[in-house]
Amino acid sequence: MRTPVNFLLVNLAVADMVVAIFLTPQLLSFHISFTHPDGLIGTVLCKLLTTANFTYVGAGASVFTLICISVERYFNVLYPHGAKGRLTKRKLKVLVPCSWIFGVSLKVPAFLSYVYVKEVGGCVYLLTEEWMGKLLSMSWFIFLGFLPVVVMTALYSRVVYALWFKSSDNAGNNSQQGVMKVRKRVTLMVFIVSIIFGVCWGTNTVGYLMVDFFPSHKFHTIEASNTIVLFNSAINPIIYALVNERFKEKFKAMLCCSRRRVRVHPAGESHGIENNTNPTDAKIETGRN
């Protein structure tokens, strides 16, 4: 199953784990008695842990990865026989590091500006002007919410039309129907993941905008938006299991601690896919190398 799209899904899963691991301490600190150290140690903790900065690094990597997947689906479905836009392992060696560089770049101002202030009793932005904090929240809203949703909506609308509406008029033979079935499953899985990401992180970024413009509702807004983000990280494996048959079989075997081997069906036997099908789609569904 070592296909380009599956590598991107692994990268997305790692980003989900980063989000959950580094967001949990902030959520717990709302409900437990925690004495934050001050001085240099307190500032380091603010930058690396208690303000959940790495959560947004994972979010940046996630949104970059989802856009890459949507671009791959666009070219794979609309131009299946061309090399244009084809995702290769060589491109992955660039795209995966770039996803994390993008995530880090979103939080560079926070890494530099967060300090612990003993008089306040918490971590605060060390900003010279109030508008700077609002500008940072706006940038997160644009790059984690608005722009990704616009790009993915534009790409997936073309893909959905080509697969579910245009293709119904030209069903073709059994071989082509098998190809369409595989492409629909793969596209449906990543499409649902993208929608949930947009809803959850869009809500989160809007919540932080509200905090900057209406600070009186800070506690409940942050707690609610962060909980929605954790839901996004937890729901993705369930989506994979519900939509992808191959993933479902492996996931079921792992949970049941079964020693049986899941039989790998050749592409042509499972879905009637011939040798001229797109190898990316065939591999994703059947698990062939």
Side-chain angles (χ1 to χ4, degrees), residues 29-62:
S29 66
F30 287 144
H31 301 285
I32 63 176
S33 178
F34 172 68
T35 303
H36 200 292
D38 55 7
L40 179 60
I41 295 177
T43 297
V44 172
L45 284 177
C46 283
K47 294 178 184 294
L48 301 182
L49 189 62
T50 51
T51 54
N53 277 334
F54 282 107
T55 294
Y56 280 84
V57 174
S62 293

Side-chain angles (χ1 to χ4, degrees), residues 13 33 36 59 87 133 136 164 173 190-191 194-195 210 216-217 252 273 275 281-282:
S33 178
H36 200 292
L87 196 60
L136 289 175
W164 275 273
N173 55 30
V190 295
F191 181 59
S194 301
I195 289 177
M210 291 178 61
S216 60
H217 301 286
K252 193 182 299 181
I273 301 173
N275 292 331
D281 288 322

Side-chain angles (χ1 to χ4, degrees), residues 13 23 35 40 53 65 75 84-86 97 118 123 132 138 140 147-148 151 187 211 215 217 233 246 273 280 285:
L23 185 57
T35 303
L40 179 60
N53 277 334
T65 302
F75 284 104
K84 183 180 179 181
R86 184 61 52 83
K118 188 175 182 179
C123 302
M132 293 181 179
M138 284 293 297
W140 297 335
L147 282 181
V151 172
T187 302
V211 166
H217 301 286
S233 295
R246 181 66 177 162
I273 301 173
T280 302
E285 185 67 19

